[in-house]
Coordinates of all heavy atoms in Angstrom, one line a residue:
M289 N -8.2 169.9 -200.7 CA -6.8 169.8 -200.6 C -6.4 168.3 -200.6 O -5.4 167.9 -201.2 CB -6.3 170.4 -199.3 CG -4.8 170.3 -199.2 SD -4.3 171.2 -197.7 CE -3.0 170.1 -197.2
Q290 N -7.2 167.5 -200.0 CA -6.9 166.0 -199.9 C -7.0 165.4 -201.3 O -6.1 164.6 -201.6 CB -7.8 165.3 -199.0 CG -7.6 165.6 -197.5 CD -8.6 164.9 -196.6 OE1 -9.4 164.2 -197.1 NE2 -8.5 165.2 -195.3
A291 N -7.9 165.9 -202.1 CA -8.0 165.4 -203.5 C -6.7 165.7 -204.3 O -6.3 164.9 -205.1 CB -9.2 165.9 -204.2
R292 N -6.1 166.8 -204.1 CA -4.9 167.2 -204.8 C -3.7 166.6 -204.3 O -2.7 166.6 -205.0 CB -4.8 168.8 -204.7 CG -5.9 169.5 -205.5 CD -5.7 171.0 -205.4 NE -6.8 171.6 -206.1 CZ -7.0 172.9 -206.1 NH1 -6.1 173.7 -205.5 NH2 -8.0 173.4 -206.7
T293 N -3.7 166.1 -203.0 CA -2.5 165.6 -202.4 C -2.5 164.1 -202.3 O -1.7 163.5 -201.6 CB -2.3 166.2 -201.1 OG1 -3.4 165.9 -200.2 CG2 -2.0 167.7 -201.1
G294 N -3.5 163.4 -202.9 CA -3.5 162.0 -202.9 C -4.4 161.4 -201.8 O -4.2 160.2 -201.5
G295 N -5.2 162.2 -201.2 CA -6.1 161.6 -200.1 C -5.6 162.1 -198.7 O -4.6 162.8 -198.6
P296 N -6.4 161.7 -197.8 CA -6.1 162.1 -196.4 C -4.8 161.5 -195.9 O -4.5 160.3 -196.2 CB -7.3 161.6 -195.6 CG -7.9 160.5 -196.3 CD -7.6 160.8 -197.8
R297 N -4.1 162.2 -195.1 CA -2.9 161.7 -194.4 C -3.4 161.1 -193.1 O -4.4 161.5 -192.6 CB -1.9 162.8 -194.2 CG -1.4 163.5 -195.5 CD -0.5 164.7 -195.2 NE -1.3 165.5 -194.3 CZ -1.5 166.8 -194.4 NH1 -0.8 167.4 -195.4 NH2 -2.2 167.5 -193.6
P298 N -2.6 160.2 -192.5 CA -3.0 159.6 -191.3 C -3.5 160.6 -190.2 O -4.5 160.4 -189.5 CB -1.8 158.8 -190.8 CG -1.2 158.4 -192.1 CD -1.4 159.6 -193.0
G299 N -2.8 161.7 -190.0 CA -3.1 162.7 -189.0 C -4.4 163.5 -189.4 O -4.9 164.2 -188.5
D300 N -4.9 163.3 -190.6 CA -6.1 164.1 -191.0 C -7.4 163.3 -190.6 O -8.4 163.8 -190.7 CB -6.1 164.3 -192.5 CG -5.0 165.2 -193.0 OD1 -4.5 166.0 -192.2 OD2 -4.7 165.1 -194.2
V301 N -7.2 162.0 -190.2 CA -8.4 161.2 -190.0 C -8.7 161.2 -188.5 O -7.8 161.0 -187.7 CB -8.1 159.8 -190.5 CG1 -9.3 158.9 -190.1 CG2 -7.9 159.8 -192.0
H302 N -9.9 161.4 -188.1 CA -10.3 161.4 -186.7 C -11.6 160.6 -186.6 O -12.6 160.9 -187.2 CB -10.6 162.8 -186.2 CG -10.9 162.9 -184.8 ND1 -10.7 164.0 -184.0 CD2 -11.5 162.0 -183.9 CE1 -11.1 163.8 -182.8 NE2 -11.6 162.6 -182.7
S303 N -11.5 159.5 -185.9 CA -12.7 158.6 -185.6 C -13.2 159.0 -184.2 O -12.5 159.1 -183.3 CB -12.4 157.2 -185.7 OG -12.0 156.8 -187.0
A304 N -14.5 159.1 -184.1 CA -15.1 159.5 -182.8 C -16.1 158.4 -182.4 O -17.0 158.0 -183.3 CB -15.8 160.8 -182.8
V305 N -16.1 157.9 -181.2 CA -17.1 157.0 -180.7 C -18.0 157.9 -179.9 O -17.6 158.6 -179.0 CB -16.4 156.0 -179.7 CG1 -17.4 155.1 -179.1 CG2 -15.4 155.1 -180.5
L306 N -19.3 157.8 -180.2 CA -20.3 158.6 -179.5 C -21.4 157.6 -179.0 O -22.1 157.0 -179.8 CB -20.9 159.6 -180.5 CG -22.1 160.4 -180.0 CD1 -21.6 161.3 -178.9 CD2 -22.7 161.3 -181.1
H307 N -21.6 157.6 -177.7 CA -22.7 156.9 -177.1 C -23.6 157.9 -176.5 O -23.4 159.1 -176.5 CB -22.1 156.0 -175.9 CG -21.4 154.8 -176.4 ND1 -22.0 153.5 -176.4 CD2 -20.2 154.6 -176.9 CE1 -21.1 152.7 -176.9 NE2 -20.0 153.3 -177.2
H308 N -24.8 157.4 -176.0 CA -25.8 158.4 -175.4 C -26.4 157.8 -174.2 O -26.4 156.5 -174.0 CB -26.9 158.7 -176.4 CG -27.7 157.6 -176.9 ND1 -27.2 156.7 -177.9 CD2 -28.9 157.1 -176.5 CE1 -28.1 155.8 -178.1 NE2 -29.2 156.0 -177.3
T309 N -26.9 158.6 -173.3 CA -27.5 158.2 -172.1 C -28.9 157.7 -172.5 O -29.4 157.9 -173.6 CB -27.7 159.3 -171.1 OG1 -28.4 160.4 -171.7 CG2 -26.3 159.9 -170.7
D310 N -29.5 157.0 -171.5 CA -30.9 156.5 -171.7 C -31.0 155.6 -173.0 O -32.0 155.7 -173.7 CB -31.9 157.6 -171.7 CG -33.3 157.1 -171.4 OD1 -33.5 156.1 -170.7 OD2 -34.3 157.8 -171.9
C311 N -30.0 154.8 -173.2 CA -30.0 153.9 -174.4 C -30.9 152.7 -174.2 O -30.9 152.1 -173.2 CB -28.6 153.5 -174.7 SG -28.5 152.5 -176.2
G312 N -31.7 152.4 -175.2 CA -32.6 151.3 -175.2 C -31.9 149.9 -175.0 O -32.5 149.0 -174.5
V313 N -30.7 149.8 -175.4 CA -30.0 148.5 -175.3 C -29.8 148.2 -173.8 O -29.7 147.0 -173.5 CB -28.6 148.5 -176.1 CG1 -27.6 149.3 -175.3 CG2 -28.2 147.1 -176.4
T314 N -29.8 149.2 -172.9 CA -29.7 148.8 -171.5 C -30.9 148.0 -171.0 O -30.8 147.3 -170.0 CB -29.6 150.1 -170.6 OG1 -30.7 150.9 -170.8 CG2 -28.3 150.9 -171.0
D315 N -32.1 148.1 -171.7 CA -33.2 147.3 -171.3 C -33.0 145.8 -171.5 O -33.6 145.0 -170.9 CB -34.4 147.7 -172.2 CG -34.9 149.1 -172.0 OD1 -34.6 149.7 -170.9 OD2 -35.6 149.7 -172.9
L316 N -32.0 145.5 -172.3 CA -31.6 144.1 -172.5 C -30.7 143.6 -171.4 O -30.5 142.3 -171.4 CB -30.9 143.9 -173.9 CG -31.8 144.1 -175.1 CD1 -30.9 143.9 -176.4 CD2 -32.9 143.1 -175.1
A317 N -30.3 144.4 -170.5 CA -29.4 143.9 -169.4 C -30.1 142.9 -168.6 O -29.4 142.0 -168.0 CB -29.0 145.1 -168.6
A318 N -31.4 142.9 -168.5 CA -32.1 141.9 -167.8 C -32.2 140.5 -168.6 O -32.7 139.5 -168.0 CB -33.5 142.4 -167.5
F319 N -31.8 140.6 -169.8 CA -31.8 139.4 -170.7 C -30.4 139.2 -171.3 O -30.2 139.4 -172.4 CB -32.9 139.6 -171.8 CG -34.2 140.0 -171.3 CD1 -34.6 141.3 -171.2 CD2 -35.1 139.0 -170.8 CE1 -35.9 141.7 -170.8 CE2 -36.4 139.4 -170.4 CZ -36.7 140.7 -170.3
P320 N -29.5 138.6 -170.4 CA -28.1 138.5 -170.9 C -27.9 137.7 -172.2 O -27.0 138.1 -173.0 CB -27.4 137.9 -169.7 CG -28.4 137.5 -168.8 CD -29.7 138.1 -169.1
E321 N -28.7 136.7 -172.4 CA -28.5 135.9 -173.6 C -28.9 136.7 -174.9 O -28.2 136.7 -175.9 CB -29.4 134.6 -173.6 CG -28.9 133.6 -172.5 CD -27.5 133.2 -172.7 OE1 -27.0 133.1 -173.8 OE2 -26.8 133.1 -171.6
L322 N -29.9 137.6 -174.8 CA -30.3 138.4 -175.9 C -29.2 139.5 -176.1 O -28.8 139.8 -177.3 CB -31.6 139.1 -175.7 CG -32.8 138.3 -175.7 CD1 -34.1 139.1 -175.3 CD2 -33.0 137.7 -177.1
L323 N -28.7 140.0 -175.0 CA -27.6 141.1 -175.1 C -26.4 140.5 -175.7 O -25.7 141.1 -176.5 CB -27.4 141.7 -173.7 CG -26.6 142.9 -173.7 CD1 -27.2 144.0 -174.5 CD2 -26.5 143.4 -172.2
A324 N -26.0 139.3 -175.2 CA -24.8 138.6 -175.8 C -25.0 138.3 -177.2 O -24.0 138.5 -178.0 CB -24.6 137.3 -175.0
D325 N -26.1 137.9 -177.7 CA -26.4 137.7 -179.1 C -26.2 139.0 -179.9 O -25.6 139.1 -180.9 CB -27.8 137.2 -179.4 CG -27.9 135.7 -179.0 OD1 -26.9 135.0 -178.8 OD2 -29.0 135.2 -178.9
Y326 N -26.7 140.1 -179.3 CA -26.6 141.4 -180.0 C -25.2 141.8 -180.2 O -24.8 142.3 -181.2 CB -27.4 142.5 -179.1 CG -27.2 143.9 -179.7 CD1 -28.0 144.3 -180.8 CD2 -26.3 144.8 -179.2 CE1 -27.9 145.6 -181.3 CE2 -26.2 146.1 -179.7 CZ -26.9 146.5 -180.7 OH -26.8 147.7 -181.3
F327 N -24.3 141.6 -179.1 CA -22.9 142.0 -179.2 C -22.0 140.9 -179.8 O -20.8 141.1 -180.0 CB -22.4 142.4 -177.8 CG -22.8 143.8 -177.4 CD1 -23.7 143.9 -176.4 CD2 -22.3 144.9 -178.0 CE1 -24.1 145.2 -176.0 CE2 -22.7 146.2 -177.6 CZ -23.6 146.3 -176.6
E328 N -22.6 139.8 -180.1 CA -21.9 138.7 -180.6 C -20.7 138.3 -179.8 O -19.6 138.1 -180.2 CB -21.5 139.0 -182.1 CG -22.6 139.2 -183.0 CD -22.2 139.6 -184.4 OE1 -21.0 139.9 -184.6 OE2 -23.1 139.5 -185.3
V329 N -21.0 138.2 -178.4 CA -20.0 137.7 -177.5 C -20.7 136.7 -176.5 O -21.9 136.7 -176.4 CB -19.4 138.9 -176.6 CG1 -18.8 139.9 -177.5 CG2 -20.5 139.6 -175.8
P330 N -19.8 135.9 -175.9 CA -20.4 135.0 -174.9 C -21.0 135.8 -173.7 O -20.5 136.9 -173.4 CB -19.2 134.2 -174.4 CG -18.2 134.3 -175.4 CD -18.4 135.7 -176.1
A331 N -22.1 135.3 -173.1 CA -22.7 136.0 -172.0 C -21.8 136.4 -170.9 O -21.9 137.4 -170.3 CB -23.9 135.2 -171.5
G332 N -20.8 135.5 -170.7 CA -19.8 135.8 -169.6 C -18.9 137.0 -169.9 O -18.2 137.5 -169.0
D333 N -18.9 137.5 -171.1 CA -18.0 138.6 -171.5 C -18.8 139.9 -171.5 O -18.3 141.0 -171.8 CB -17.5 138.4 -172.9 CG -16.5 137.3 -173.0 OD1 -16.0 136.8 -171.9 OD2 -16.1 136.9 -174.1
L334 N -20.1 139.9 -171.1 CA -20.9 141.1 -171.2 C -20.4 142.2 -170.2 O -20.5 143.4 -170.6 CB -22.4 140.8 -170.8 CG -23.1 140.1 -172.0 CD1 -24.5 139.7 -171.5 CD2 -23.2 141.0 -173.2
D335 N -20.0 141.9 -169.0 CA -19.5 142.9 -168.1 C -18.4 143.8 -168.7 O -18.4 145.0 -168.4 CB -19.0 142.3 -166.8 CG -20.2 141.8 -165.9 OD1 -21.3 142.1 -166.2 OD2 -19.9 141.0 -165.0
A336 N -17.6 143.2 -169.5 CA -16.5 143.9 -170.1 C -17.0 145.0 -171.1 O -16.3 145.9 -171.4 CB -15.5 143.0 -170.8
K337 N -18.2 144.8 -171.6 CA -18.8 145.8 -172.5 C -19.4 147.0 -171.8 O -19.7 148.0 -172.5 CB -20.0 145.1 -173.3 CG -19.5 144.1 -174.4 CD -18.8 144.9 -175.5 CE -18.6 144.0 -176.7 NZ -17.8 144.7 -177.7
A338 N -19.6 146.9 -170.5 CA -20.1 148.1 -169.7 C -21.4 148.7 -170.3 O -21.6 149.9 -170.4 CB -19.1 149.1 -169.6
V339 N -22.3 147.8 -170.7 CA -23.5 148.2 -171.4 C -24.4 149.2 -170.7 O -24.9 150.1 -171.3 CB -24.4 147.0 -171.8 CG1 -25.7 147.4 -172.4 CG2 -23.6 146.1 -172.7
T340 N -24.5 149.1 -169.4 CA -25.4 150.0 -168.6 C -24.7 151.3 -168.2 O -25.4 152.1 -167.6 CB -25.9 149.3 -167.3 OG1 -24.7 148.9 -166.5 CG2 -26.7 148.0 -167.7
D341 N -23.5 151.5 -168.6 CA -22.7 152.7 -168.2 C -22.2 153.3 -169.5 O -21.1 152.9 -170.0 CB -21.6 152.4 -167.2 CG -20.9 153.6 -166.8 OD1 -21.0 154.7 -167.4 OD2 -20.0 153.5 -165.8
P342 N -22.8 154.4 -170.1 CA -22.3 154.9 -171.4 C -20.9 155.5 -171.3 O -20.1 155.4 -172.3 CB -23.3 156.0 -171.7 CG -24.1 156.3 -170.5 CD -24.0 155.1 -169.6
V343 N -20.5 156.0 -170.2 CA -19.1 156.6 -170.0 C -18.1 155.4 -170.1 O -17.1 155.5 -170.8 CB -19.0 157.4 -168.7 CG1 -17.6 157.8 -168.5 CG2 -19.9 158.6 -168.8
A344 N -18.3 154.4 -169.3 CA -17.4 153.2 -169.3 C -17.5 152.6 -170.7 O -16.4 152.1 -171.2 CB -17.8 152.3 -168.2
A345 N -18.6 152.4 -171.3 CA -18.7 151.8 -172.6 C -18.0 152.5 -173.7 O -17.3 151.9 -174.5 CB -20.2 151.7 -173.0
V346 N -18.0 153.9 -173.6 CA -17.2 154.6 -174.6 C -15.7 154.3 -174.4 O -15.0 154.1 -175.4 CB -17.5 156.2 -174.4 CG1 -16.4 157.0 -175.0 CG2 -18.8 156.5 -175.0
R347 N -15.2 154.3 -173.1 CA -13.8 154.0 -172.9 C -13.5 152.6 -173.5 O -12.4 152.4 -174.1 CB -13.5 154.0 -171.4 CG -13.5 155.5 -170.9 CD -13.0 155.5 -169.4 NE -13.0 156.9 -169.0 CZ -13.8 157.4 -168.1 NH1 -14.6 156.6 -167.4 NH2 -13.7 158.7 -167.7
V348 N -14.3 151.6 -173.2 CA -14.1 150.3 -173.7 C -14.0 150.3 -175.3 O -13.1 149.7 -175.9 CB -15.2 149.3 -173.3 CG1 -15.2 148.0 -174.0 CG2 -15.1 149.1 -171.8
D349 N -15.0 150.9 -175.9 CA -15.0 151.0 -177.4 C -13.9 151.7 -178.0 O -13.4 151.3 -179.0 CB -16.4 151.5 -177.8 CG -17.5 150.5 -177.6 OD1 -17.3 149.4 -177.2 OD2 -18.7 151.0 -177.7
V350 N -13.4 152.8 -177.3 CA -12.3 153.5 -177.9 C -11.1 152.7 -177.8 O -10.3 152.6 -178.8 CB -12.1 154.9 -177.1 CG1 -10.7 155.5 -177.4 CG2 -13.2 155.9 -177.4
E351 N -10.8 152.0 -176.7 CA -9.7 151.1 -176.6 C -9.7 150.0 -177.7 O -8.7 149.6 -178.3 CB -9.5 150.5 -175.2 CG -9.1 151.5 -174.2 CD -7.8 152.2 -174.6 OE1 -6.8 151.5 -175.0 OE2 -7.8 153.4 -174.5
S352 N -10.9 149.4 -177.9 CA -11.1 148.4 -178.9 C -10.8 149.0 -180.3 O -10.1 148.4 -181.1 CB -12.5 147.9 -178.9 OG -12.7 146.9 -179.9
L353 N -11.3 150.2 -180.6 CA -11.0 150.8 -181.9 C -9.6 151.1 -182.1 O -9.0 151.0 -183.2 CB -11.9 152.1 -181.9 CG -12.0 152.8 -183.3 CD1 -12.5 151.9 -184.4 CD2 -12.8 154.0 -183.2
K354 N -8.9 151.6 -181.0 CA -7.4 151.9 -181.2 C -6.6 150.7 -181.6 O -5.7 150.8 -182.4 CB -6.9 152.3 -179.8 CG -7.2 153.8 -179.5 CD -6.6 154.1 -178.1 CE -6.8 155.5 -177.7 NZ -6.1 155.8 -176.4
R355 N -7.1 149.5 -181.2 CA -6.3 148.3 -181.7 C -6.6 147.9 -183.1 O -5.9 147.2 -183.7 CB -6.7 147.1 -180.8 CG -6.3 147.2 -179.4 CD -6.5 145.9 -178.5 NE -7.9 145.6 -178.4 CZ -8.6 146.0 -177.4 NH1 -8.2 146.8 -176.5 NH2 -9.9 145.6 -177.3
K356 N -7.6 148.6 -183.7 CA -7.9 148.2 -185.1 C -7.6 149.3 -186.1 O -7.5 149.1 -187.3 CB -9.5 148.0 -185.2 CG -9.9 146.8 -184.4 CD -11.3 146.6 -184.4 CE -11.7 145.4 -183.5 NZ -13.0 145.2 -183.2
L357 N -7.4 150.5 -185.6 CA -7.0 151.7 -186.5 C -5.6 151.7 -186.8 O -4.7 151.3 -186.0 CB -7.5 153.0 -185.8 CG -9.0 153.2 -185.7 CD1 -9.2 154.5 -184.8 CD2 -9.6 153.3 -187.0
P358 N -5.2 152.3 -188.0 CA -3.8 152.4 -188.3 C -3.1 153.5 -187.4 O -3.8 154.4 -187.0 CB -3.8 152.8 -189.8 CG -5.1 153.4 -190.0 CD -6.1 152.7 -189.1
A359 N -1.9 153.4 -187.2 CA -1.1 154.4 -186.5 C -1.3 155.8 -187.1 O -1.3 155.9 -188.4 CB 0.4 154.0 -186.4
G360 N -1.3 156.8 -186.3 CA -1.4 158.1 -186.9 C -2.7 158.8 -186.9 O -2.9 160.0 -187.0
V361 N -3.8 158.0 -186.9 CA -5.1 158.5 -186.9 C -5.5 159.0 -185.5 O -4.9 158.5 -184.5 CB -6.2 157.6 -187.5 CG1 -5.9 157.2 -188.9 CG2 -6.4 156.4 -186.6
F362 N -6.5 159.8 -185.4 CA -6.9 160.2 -184.0 C -8.2 159.5 -183.7 O -9.0 159.2 -184.6 CB -7.2 161.8 -184.0 CG -6.0 162.6 -184.0 CD1 -5.3 162.9 -185.2 CD2 -5.5 163.0 -182.8 CE1 -4.1 163.6 -185.1 CE2 -4.3 163.8 -182.7 CZ -3.6 164.1 -183.9
V363 N -8.5 159.3 -182.4 CA -9.7 158.7 -181.9 C -10.1 159.4 -180.6 O -9.2 159.8 -179.8 CB -9.6 157.2 -181.7 CG1 -8.6 156.8 -180.7 CG2 -10.9 156.6 -181.5
S364 N -11.4 159.6 -180.5 CA -11.9 160.2 -179.2 C -13.2 159.5 -178.9 O -13.8 158.8 -179.6 CB -12.1 161.7 -179.4 OG -13.1 161.9 -180.4
G365 N -13.7 159.8 -177.6 CA -14.9 159.2 -177.2 C -15.8 160.2 -176.5 O -15.3 161.0 -175.7
L366 N -17.1 160.2 -176.8 CA -18.0 161.2 -176.3 C -19.3 160.5 -175.8 O -19.6 159.5 -176.3 CB -18.3 162.2 -177.4 CG -17.1 162.8 -178.1 CD1 -17.2 162.5 -179.6 CD2 -16.9 164.2 -177.8
V367 N -20.0 161.2 -174.9 CA -21.3 160.7 -174.5 C -22.3 161.9 -174.6 O -22.1 163.0 -174.1 CB -21.3 160.2 -173.1 CG1 -22.7 159.9 -172.6 CG2 -20.4 159.0 -172.9
Y368 N -23.4 161.7 -175.4 CA -24.4 162.6 -175.5 C -25.5 162.4 -174.5 O -26.0 161.3 -174.3 CB -25.1 162.5 -176.9 CG -26.3 163.3 -177.1 CD1 -26.3 164.7 -177.2 CD2 -27.6 162.7 -177.2 CE1 -27.4 165.4 -177.3 CE2 -28.7 163.4 -177.4 CZ -28.7 164.8 -177.4 OH -29.8 165.5 -177.6
D369 N -25.8 163.4 -173.7 CA -26.8 163.3 -172.6 C -28.1 163.7 -173.2 O -28.3 164.9 -173.5 CB -26.4 164.2 -171.4 CG -27.3 164.0 -170.2 OD1 -28.5 163.8 -170.4 OD2 -26.8 164.1 -169.1
V370 N -29.0 162.8 -173.3 CA -30.3 163.1 -174.0 C -31.2 164.0 -173.1 O -32.1 164.6 -173.6 CB -31.1 161.8 -174.4 CG1 -30.3 160.9 -175.4 CG2 -31.4 160.9 -173.2
A371 N -30.9 164.0 -171.8 CA -31.7 164.9 -170.9 C -31.4 166.3 -171.1 O -32.3 167.2 -171.1 CB -31.5 164.4 -169.5
N372 N -30.2 166.7 -171.3 CA -29.8 168.1 -171.4 C -29.2 168.5 -172.7 O -28.9 169.7 -172.9 CB -28.9 168.5 -170.2 CG -27.5 167.8 -170.3 OD1 -27.1 167.3 -171.3 ND2 -26.9 167.6 -169.1
G373 N -29.0 167.6 -173.6 CA -28.5 167.9 -175.0 C -27.0 168.2 -175.0 O -26.5 168.6 -176.1
L374 N -26.3 168.0 -173.9 CA -24.9 168.2 -173.9 C -24.1 167.0 -174.3 O -24.5 165.9 -174.1 CB -24.5 168.8 -172.5 CG -25.1 170.1 -172.1 CD1 -24.7 170.4 -170.7 CD2 -24.8 171.2 -173.0
I375 N -22.9 167.2 -174.8 CA -22.0 166.2 -175.2 C -20.8 166.3 -174.3 O -20.1 167.4 -174.2 CB -21.6 166.2 -176.7 CG1 -22.8 165.9 -177.5 CG2 -20.5 165.2 -176.9 CD1 -22.5 166.1 -179.0
D376 N -20.4 165.2 -173.6 CA -19.3 165.2 -172.7 C -18.1 164.5 -173.4 O -18.3 163.4 -173.9 CB -19.6 164.5 -171.4 CG -20.5 165.3 -170.5 OD1 -20.4 166.5 -170.4 OD2 -21.4 164.7 -169.9
V377 N -16.9 165.1 -173.3 CA -15.8 164.4 -173.9 C -15.3 163.4 -172.8 O -14.9 163.9 -171.7 CB -14.7 165.4 -174.3 CG1 -13.4 164.7 -174.7 CG2 -15.2 166.3 -175.3
V378 N -15.3 162.2 -173.0 CA -14.9 161.2 -172.1 C -13.4 160.8 -172.4 O -12.6 160.6 -171.5 CB -15.8 159.9 -172.2 CG1 -15.3 158.8 -171.3 CG2 -17.2 160.3 -171.9
V379 N -13.1 160.6 -173.7 CA -11.7 160.3 -174.1 C -11.3 161.4 -175.1 O -11.8 161.5 -176.2 CB -11.6 158.9 -174.8 CG1 -10.2 158.7 -175.2 CG2 -12.2 157.8 -173.9
P380 N -10.4 162.3 -174.6 CA -10.0 163.4 -175.5 C -9.3 162.8 -176.8 O -8.8 161.7 -176.7 CB -9.0 164.2 -174.7 CG -9.3 163.8 -173.3 CD -9.8 162.4 -173.3
P381 N -9.3 163.6 -177.9 CA -8.7 163.1 -179.1 C -7.2 162.8 -178.8 O -6.5 163.6 -178.2 CB -8.8 164.3 -180.1 CG -9.9 165.1 -179.5 CD -9.9 164.9 -178.0
A382 N -6.8 161.6 -179.3 CA -5.4 161.2 -179.1 C -5.0 160.4 -180.4 O -5.8 159.7 -181.0 CB -5.3 160.3 -177.9
R383 N -3.8 160.6 -180.8 CA -3.2 159.9 -181.9 C -3.0 158.4 -181.6 O -2.4 158.1 -180.5 CB -2.0 160.5 -182.4 CG -1.4 160.0 -183.7 CD -0.1 160.7 -184.1 NE -0.2 162.1 -184.1 CZ -0.5 162.8 -185.2 NH1 -0.8 162.2 -186.4 NH2 -0.6 164.1 -185.2
V384 N -3.4 157.5 -182.5 CA -3.2 156.1 -182.3 C -1.7 155.8 -182.5 O -1.1 156.2 -183.5 CB -4.0 155.2 -183.2 CG1 -3.7 153.8 -183.1 CG2 -5.5 155.5 -182.9
D385 N -1.1 155.1 -181.5 CA 0.3 154.7 -181.7 C 0.5 153.4 -182.5 O -0.5 152.7 -182.6 CB 1.0 154.5 -180.3 CG 1.0 155.8 -179.5 OD1 1.2 156.9 -180.1 OD2 0.9 155.7 -178.3
A386 N 1.6 153.2 -183.0 CA 1.9 152.0 -183.8 C 1.8 150.8 -182.9 O 1.9 150.8 -181.8 CB 3.3 152.1 -184.4

């Protein structure tokens, strides 16, 4: 249908941020300079990334993504638990405002 109507409409697009538990990047928390290099931020800004907490990190990343996406698209945030195989919805789908 999108091909016949000129492509997706803004409300048809949904971006999802998906993090997971037991992420290897948390091993870098003991090495802030390496972690800062990985995220391309100053070491003083690392706490704002919430690297050691996947739920908080999803919220941070969804908010960051909302500032970059066009109005009308949807964005959500999820965390995959590697221990039990379940996915938790942390940020339910919501339309990005202008």
Side-chain angles (χ1 to χ4, degrees):
M289 181 177 145
Q290 290 178 1
R292 293 182 183 173
T293 60
R297 298 172 307 226
D300 294 338
V301 178
H302 184 155
S303 294
V305 175
L306 176 65
H307 287 256
H308 62 280
T309 60
D310 198 27
C311 183
V313 78
T314 61
D315 295 339
L316 291 178
F319 307 96
E321 293 304 321
L322 291 174
L323 195 55
D325 286 346
Y326 176 79
F327 283 110
E328 299 178 345
V329 299
D333 293 349
L334 284 175
D335 286 345
K337 288 287 192 186
V339 174
T340 59
D341 180 351
V343 171
V346 161
R347 289 187 178 115
V348 167
D349 289 350
V350 166
E351 287 306 312
S352 176
L353 190 58
K354 283 181 175 179
R355 291 189 296 272
K356 297 175 182 167
L357 291 172
V361 302
F362 284 85
V363 65
S364 61
L366 311 124
V367 173
Y368 171 68
D369 188 322
V370 299
N372 63 25
L374 298 176
I375 295 176
D376 291 319
V377 176
V378 175
V379 179
R383 189 181 304 268
V384 174
D385 296 326

